[in-house]
Amino acid sequence: MLKENLVRIAAVLGALAALVALVTAFGLALAPRAQAKPEDYLAYSLEGLDQVPEDKILYREAEPVKVPAGADDSLAGLCLLPDGGSALSGGSSIFVFDRSRTLVRTFSVGAPAVALCVKPGTTPPALYVAMRDHLEIWSVDGRKLDEWTSLGEKALIASIAASGSAVYAADAGDKNIVQYDTGGRLIRFITLKADGGDSGFLIPGAYFDVAFGDGSLWAVDPGRHRVCKISPDGEILAAWGRTSAELDGFCGCCNPVNIALFPDGSFAVQEKGLLRIKLYDRTGAFQGVVAGPASFHPSVKSLDLAVGSGGTVYAADSHLKEVRIFTRKGAGR
Amino acid sequence: MKRRYAVTLLVLALAAGGVAHAQDRFPRPEFKSDYATPTLQVPNAPDSVYEFIDLGVLAAAVIAMSAIALKLRSRNAIFVLSIASLVYFGFIRRGCICPIGAIQNVTLALADPTYAVPLSVVGFFLVPLAATLFFGRTFCAGVCPLGAIQDLVVLKPIKIPKPAAAVLGVVPFLYLGLAVLFTAAGIGFVICRFDPFVEIFRFGSRLEILAYAGVLLGIGVFVARPYCRFLCPYGALLSVLSRFSRRHVTISPTECVECRLCEDACPVDAILPPAGGAAGGTGEPRRASVRRLTVSVLLIPLLMAAGAAGGKLLEGFFVRLSPDVALQTALAAEKAAGTADAAEETRLFRESGETEAALAARVDRTKAVLSIGSALFGAFVGLVIALKLLGLAVPPANTSYVPDRAACVSCGRCFRACPQEHVRLRGRINSPTSLE
Amino acid sequence: MKSKKPGKNPKKKMTRREFLRVGARAGLALGAAGVAGGAFLRGRQTADLRWQLDPDKCIQCGRCATHCVLTPSAVKAVHAYDVCGYCELCSGYFKPNALLLDTAAENRLCPVSAIKRTFVEDPYYQYTIDTDLCIGCGKCVKGCQSFGNGSLFLQAMHDRCVNCNECAIARACPARAWTRLPASAPYMLKGKSRGSGDAKK
Ligand code: SF4
Ligand code: SF4
Ligand code: SF4
Ligand code: SF4
């Protein structure tokens, strides 16, 4: 009888032990564990190309300006206004900031505004606003002043630039730059002529930036990793840029993505992939880095650039919904 | 209905992909040669029809198994059908979806409004339950691939001491409760994750699961069907239903002669010897047994309350099992320490671009579910234990050797042990019908 | 299991048990049907569901290659040709610092050389994935996504995927890119096929 009871107790204890072991194993197996990095051969690696030596970084970041854009809106166009303020497009809204970087006005332009630039010499300032296939003119107080004709179904305007007498729209869809006069009359289509032939721009992606400065028109030829100064009839007057994954070159299928011209003719240039903003002098010689990949979220592709006085670089960051501001190290604001 | 659902999903998908959508608009290369851009080809999913065919096969197999076990009484036929079922549901259909796992789909459908459970999955959940209400656990006999594979290795079954079996018998209910709780709280489908045999069915390579299967099959040589008896959450449901089934497998085809020959025939210790005297009592005074019953009944609310309190104590532990909570904790720790992206998980979270607010919303939901759910889980476990005690207090009523309806898996091993069965078989062999 | 006070009518003990059993059976049947019916009616999903990943959310963490219950993974890279730039310097094909644009193995990104590069015309090349070789690591996708047009992307191939009740990758995916789609439209594609979702044979 005693023995029988002992066996019983032992059995129950054994069962309880099994139960505890089971529950522990279950808990352990279920507990969230730190996951390992994927093995090297499975992981995409930039092989250190995304590292920028500290001494090459010539800029430091200042307090950014938050933009109240919707979560899905990309901040596609950024430009500085003559009065020291700035304008930014996010989705189909235009945000206008004054010189102290406070948001003074938001208005809708009805369709996604893919690029912005100031119409020179107008007071109050007016903006050229690019939609996918056409340009519009809006005053900064939110009145629509004009709408130009559409470039057609295939058009995919990626950026605009303006001189005193002309407006240039870079159309990635048709792979040309459309030149208008200030009244909206289409003057000509500029394609790239080089080596005696009509080689055209090589635009593998939807990125195609133009800028006007120093009296001439500059455009990127991203498939060939270069920036070109082009005459109105498409002749390449000057070109620079070299294919390389090194810090001073451009790599990937299409780079650079965005350019901006300083008053002295030097360039701020943004690349995707290895997401960085770099400085080149007016001959295209590499100067240094404004901000490297460590400064941006990897999902960012294009950061529209604007450059201000004192060498300040502004970049519209669609991921953070901010205008990032970079100032030269050592220079006072 | 189906179409409308698909459209809704697509609209949702498009809305979610709003930004990246612009990616698709891009300048096409202008080929000068007559190169034609190939179109993207993706293979079709197997037609939904197959899921309903599976459901049909399942229903047919359960009915056939019931007929074999209850009418034909052939262990060999049960064996053959179980092999066929193992091959079909296990190796051909690769184990998924199975009724055990369907518990979670049904739970998720009730807990998460964004999840809609497919009809065939509901069918998989319901068919064995319904069959069990009519015929007992004939699904377990061998339609279930997990049961079938374990049944194959039952070579030297030993008896488990009753009290030990009673304690371990609570585990499936614990597992059921946890599976429901974790599904509702968004922690995941634990039944599927810890399905021991699915790796075998898929010829998979997750070593820890294969080892688990190996251990269970090893134990299963001596302790018959360890998963079915001491783990399976669906078995827990079936054991409850089986108690009240309309009909059930019997050991003896006619009348038990109390020869005791079948006593050791059952691998899962499910043969109940006749209780006490013919009156069905244990000989103890009626008054005493009434008192015992009353106490057991009164224990139910007490144990449930105690269980709820105990479950509440486990809440913190459950919360920590949620990957979302772990991620949030890791993020907070990194913020405090000022070291961003130290761990792979937090680095990837930042790369994914998901907002901390969205993560916090999920964490809050998990915590809300667990706050109530852990107490309910505890109360459920309390109820199970109380009912088990009550079961012990109710005097058994059988007057001959009968299968314990909750535990019997209708495997048919006891048939041949019964001398009456031999009489029946001889009668059949000699009968003119079988000579035709 | 449901308990009743014992012993009002001891003589009809079996009958009472039988009565209780029938009652309990009806109750349990109703309960099971109620739970299952309720669950079904919440969503009214008649078609089956298939696991798929949303390429717009995927960040190519590599887990699609390592976490699938199948080896190699049911997830493969696919190519939306109509979004491809046909670049000579394809960042999905070459390692980021591959300067020599030949197809030597050390310049290639894919660990299993599953991408075929064929010349179309100057300066365009077509890139084709060999699905049988691809292990779904997403390296090429990441290269294409960050430097290129994002025309390469990952999808679970439904002739391989065994449609686990809970996809093991979905559980591990840091981007929460996985969802269940109706079996009739089980893909999330890019390019012209976007939104069609359906298989084209
Ligand atoms: S049918 Fe099988 S499980 Fe049921 S009592 Fe007989 S031997 Fe035991
Ligand atoms: S696990 Fe998620 S993020 Fe990682 S590769 Fe797969 S779908 Fe993309
Ligand atoms: S890199 Fe990875 S995902 Fe791309 S084709 Fe090769 S194996 Fe497939
Ligand atoms: S459902 Fe299963 S087989 Fe399919 S991709 Fe996910 S883990 Fe792989």
Side-chain angles (χ1 to χ4, degrees):
Chain A
M1 196 62 184
L2 181 70
K3 203 173 148 210
E4 216 168 76
N5 275 335
L6 276 181
V7 169
R8 252 189 218 162
I9 292 171
V12 172
L13 286 181
L16 283 174
L19 202 150
V20 169
L22 221 107
V23 170
T24 319
F26 186 74
L28 284 180
L30 206 58
R33 253 161 306 179
Q35 293 264 357
K37 272 201 177 11
E39 288 175 56
D40 269 354
Y41 79 100
L42 290 178
Y44 182 80
S45 159
L46 287 166
E47 296 165 32
L49 295 172
D50 53 343
Q51 301 303 317
V52 181
E54 193 51 41
D55 63 323
K56 291 275 192 287
I57 301 185
L58 307 180
Y59 278 67
R60 73 164 58 84
E61 185 167 6
E63 190 62 31
V65 179
K66 273 268 163 223
V67 181
D72 282 353
D73 294 339
S74 70
L75 307 184
L78 172 65
C79 65
L80 299 186
L81 302 175
D83 62 0
S86 54
L88 172 72
S89 72
S92 29
S93 307
I94 307 283
F95 304 96
V96 182
F97 299 88
D98 67 10
R99 53 183 310 133
S100 61
R101 292 167 189 163
T102 5
L103 182 66
V104 288
R105 195 169 305 105
T106 306
F107 58 90
S108 169
V109 289
V114 294
L116 277 190
C117 83
V118 176
K119 180 173 183 184
T122 42
T123 35
L127 298 169
Y128 292 115
V129 179
M131 312 302 178
R132 180 189 66 79
D133 62 341
H134 69 277
L135 301 191
E136 294 178 4
I137 305 178
W138 289 72
S139 75
V140 289
D141 47 23
R143 280 175 300 122
K144 184 170 175 173
L145 304 177
D146 202 356
E147 174 171 342
W148 297 353
T149 48
S150 165
L151 289 169
E153 205 27 60
K154 227 179 111 196
L156 191 57
I157 297 178
S159 74
I160 41 176
S163 71
S165 58
V167 184
Y168 303 93
D171 177 356
D174 296 300
K175 301 180 202 305
N176 57 26
I177 300 171
V178 191
Q179 182 183 349
Y180 296 95
D181 69 10
T182 50
R185 204 154 52 87
L186 204 155
I187 305 296
R188 57 163 75 81
F189 295 105
I190 305 173
T191 60
L192 207 58
K193 294 196 185 70
D195 313 326
D198 182 2
S199 59
F201 291 100
L202 193 53
I203 302 168
Y207 307 105
F208 186 17
D209 204 19
V210 282
F212 195 90
D214 207 11
S216 18
L217 178 67
W218 288 84
V220 296
D221 186 12
R224 299 188 183 91
H225 299 135
R226 61 181 181 172
V227 179
C228 307
K229 177 178 178 176
I230 34 188
S231 73
D233 46 0
E235 296 295 341
I236 297 183
L237 304 175
W240 59 267
R242 98 184 163 94
T243 300
S244 159
E246 301 298 310
L247 199 52
D248 63 337
F250 302 121
C251 68
C253 85
C254 40
N255 264 321
V257 171
N258 283 300
I259 55 173
L261 272 151
F262 289 100
D264 69 351
S266 58
F267 300 85
V269 171
Q270 181 251 325
E271 286 170 277
K272 72 184 171 107
L274 288 169
L275 203 94
R276 50 198 184 189
I277 305 175
K278 301 189 295 198
L279 283 187
Y280 290 83
D281 76 3
R282 50 185 303 144
T283 66
F286 175 67
Q287 300 291 296
V289 175
V290 173
S295 306
F296 304 102
H297 190 268
S299 69
V300 174
K301 296 277 174 291
S302 163
L303 296 151
D304 201 33
L305 299 179
V307 291
S309 55
T312 306
V313 175
Y314 302 84
D317 186 330
S318 292
H319 177 75
L320 293 177
K321 306 283 179 252
E322 282 174 359
V323 177
R324 313 276 296 265
I325 302 170
F326 301 92
T327 54
R328 230 177 211 288
K329 280 181 187 164
R333 272 259 203 102
Chain B
M1 202 68 90
K2 176 167 134 188
R3 164 124 347 128
R4 200 180 62 199
Y5 189 74
V7 168
T8 328
L9 266 179
L10 280 175
V11 168
L12 283 177
L14 290 181
V19 191
H21 208 131
Q23 241 183 22
D24 293 351
R25 263 209 323 256
F26 95 106
R28 323 248 168 250
E30 273 151 10
F31 297 110
K32 292 179 200 77
S33 57
D34 53 2
Y35 171 80
T37 310
T39 33
L40 165 57
Q41 305 263 314
V42 281
N44 274 311
D47 205 288
S48 273
V49 161
Y50 288 109
E51 314 283 334
F52 288 97
I53 292 178
D54 284 353
L55 186 56
V57 173
L58 174 73
V62 179
I63 290 171
M65 187 62 90
S66 306
I68 292 171
L70 271 60
K71 276 260 179 282
L72 188 61
R73 295 175 57 81
S74 160
R75 165 69 197 157
N76 289 345
I78 292 178
F79 180 75
V80 169
L81 184 51
S82 78
I83 297 287
S85 189
L86 177 60
V87 169
Y88 185 77
F89 290 110
F91 293 102
I92 297 180
R93 304 304 296 169
R94 309 278 187 92
C96 261
I97 170 84
C98 83
I100 313 176
I103 295 173
Q104 303 158 114
N105 302 61
V106 169
T107 307
L108 188 60
L110 291 173
D112 176 357
T114 63
Y115 174 71
V117 56
L119 190 54
S120 65
V121 176
V122 176
F124 261 78
F125 174 70
L126 215 47
V127 163
L129 292 182
T132 302
L133 273 179
F134 281 97
F135 307 114
R137 296 171 66 175
T138 49
F139 168 73
C140 299
V143 180
C144 173
L146 285 78
I149 196 170
Q150 292 175 90
D151 211 64
L152 283 182
V153 300
V154 180
L155 298 176
K156 289 231 167 315
I158 56 165
K159 279 206 183 307
I160 308 253
K162 273 234 145 49
V167 172
L168 288 178
V170 181
V171 175
F173 291 94
L174 274 177
Y175 198 0
L176 174 66
L178 287 178
V180 168
L181 181 64
F182 290 164
T183 304
I187 294 177
F189 281 17
V190 287
I191 299 176
C192 294
R193 198 179 318 175
F194 300 121
D195 179 338
F197 304 116
V198 75
E199 280 303 280
I200 299 180
F201 297 151
R202 288 185 191 128
F203 306 113
S205 55
R206 285 185 299 163
L207 287 181
E208 65 284 6
I209 298 294
L210 285 171
Y212 177 31
V215 168
L216 279 182
L217 290 179
I219 294 177
V221 174
F222 308 103
V223 180
R225 294 181 174 240
Y227 186 81
C228 301
R229 288 157 77 193
F230 305 127
L231 286 166
C232 181
Y234 198 68
L237 285 179
L238 293 181
S239 73
V240 173
L241 299 193
S242 184
R243 280 174 198 275
F244 306 103
S245 71
R246 189 180 167 89
R247 306 191 46 203
H248 196 275
V249 160
T250 58
I251 302 171
S252 165
T254 46
E255 202 150 316
C256 175
V257 290
E258 289 186 46
C259 64
R260 308 179 58 177
L261 284 174
C262 71
E263 238 172 18
D264 293 324
C266 178
V268 297
D269 304 341
I271 295 185
L272 294 174
T282 42
E284 81 180 320
R286 238 185 74 72
R287 189 179 273 277
S289 79
V290 168
R291 162 121 37 78
R292 207 147 44 101
L293 258 179
T294 320
V295 169
S296 302
V297 170
L298 289 179
L299 261 182
I300 295 178
L302 279 181
L303 279 178
M304 284 179 76
K312 200 69 186 161
L313 286 180
L314 286 175
E315 184 184 340
F317 169 69
F318 292 150
V319 166
R320 276 199 299 281
L321 292 182
S322 153
D324 286 334
V325 173
L327 177 60
Q328 200 186 42
T329 316
L331 285 169
E334 281 185 3
K335 199 173 275 174
T339 54
D341 296 353
E344 178 74 351
E345 225 50 47
T346 51
R347 184 180 71 77
L348 291 174
F349 172 76
R350 293 216 176 78
E351 188 175 336
S352 79
E354 195 187 24
T355 61
E356 293 195 23
L359 175 67
R362 288 206 310 279
V363 166
D364 289 347
R365 199 191 148 262
T366 297
K367 285 187 172 162
V369 171
L370 286 177
S371 156
I372 304 170
S374 56
L376 285 179
F377 164 72
F380 170 71
V381 174
L383 175 69
V384 169
I385 294 174
L387 291 181
K388 289 238 174 221
L389 291 176
L390 180 67
L392 294 178
V394 175
N398 55 304
T399 52
S400 59
Y401 282 90
V402 290
D404 170 354
R405 289 183 166 219
C408 168
V409 291
S410 316
C411 70
R413 283 194 176 78
C414 57
F415 296 165
R416 289 290 186 105
C418 183
Q420 298 283 67
E421 177 76 359
H422 291 269
V423 172
R424 178 184 79 99
L425 287 177
R426 227 174 295 127
R428 192 154 63 174
I429 289 162
N430 292 337
S431 78
T433 38
S434 66
L435 289 175
E436 279 175 10
Chain C
M1 295 218 78
K2 289 268 141 59
S3 61
K4 282 276 163 73
K5 289 260 164 56
K8 282 237 172 73
N9 199 348
K11 264 174 281 173
K12 291 191 180 165
K13 192 153 193 167
M14 289 316 290
T15 327
R16 196 183 65 229
R17 275 185 188 255
E18 203 42 53
F19 173 75
L20 283 181
R21 175 167 286 168
V22 171
R25 191 188 305 144
L28 288 169
L30 278 178
V35 167
F40 173 68
L41 291 178
R42 287 281 292 249
R44 300 221 182 95
Q45 172 67 23
T46 47
D48 268 299
L49 300 172
R50 300 272 149 187
W51 286 102
Q52 193 52 273
L53 68 99
D54 180 346
D56 293 333
K57 288 190 183 157
C58 169
I59 55 170
Q60 301 88 38
C61 67
R63 291 186 190 168
C64 274
T66 52
H67 280 62
C68 182
V69 300
L70 302 180
T71 326
S73 172
V75 175
K76 307 287 173 190
V78 291
H79 200 181
Y81 297 95
D82 54 344
V83 198
C84 179
Y86 287 79
C87 320
E88 185 177 7
L89 183 48
C90 168
S91 40
Y93 185 78
F94 291 111
K95 287 186 176 162
N97 59 357
L99 282 179
L100 291 167
L101 302 190
D102 61 25
T103 50
E106 70 269 22
N107 288 332
R108 296 215 223 162
L109 192 58
C110 177
V112 292
S113 299
I115 311 182
K116 205 167 85 220
R117 181 182 201 243
T118 37
F119 177 72
V120 177
E121 64 180 58
D122 188 51
Y124 298 129
Y125 290 81
Q126 179 184 315
Y127 297 91
T128 318
I129 311 277
D130 184 339
T131 307
D132 289 331
L133 290 180
C134 173
I135 55 171
C137 69
K139 274 171 100 169
C140 59
V141 178
K142 188 142 195 153
C144 178
Q145 190 71 242
S146 42
F147 289 96
N149 287 352
S151 58
L152 293 169
F153 60 104
L154 294 174
Q155 286 288 278
M157 294 284 114
H158 286 298
D159 55 342
R160 293 165 201 262
C161 173
V162 295
N163 203 30
C164 309
N165 200 13
E166 182 188 46
C167 171
I169 309 175
R171 195 168 67 228
C173 173
R176 304 177 58 76
W178 287 76
T179 42
R180 297 174 176 94
L181 296 180
S184 53
Y187 289 95
M188 289 177 117
L189 303 177
K190 285 188 167 187
K192 283 206 202 86
S193 317
R194 182 186 288 273
S196 72
D198 210 344
K200 275 168 290 177
K201 261 271 152 83

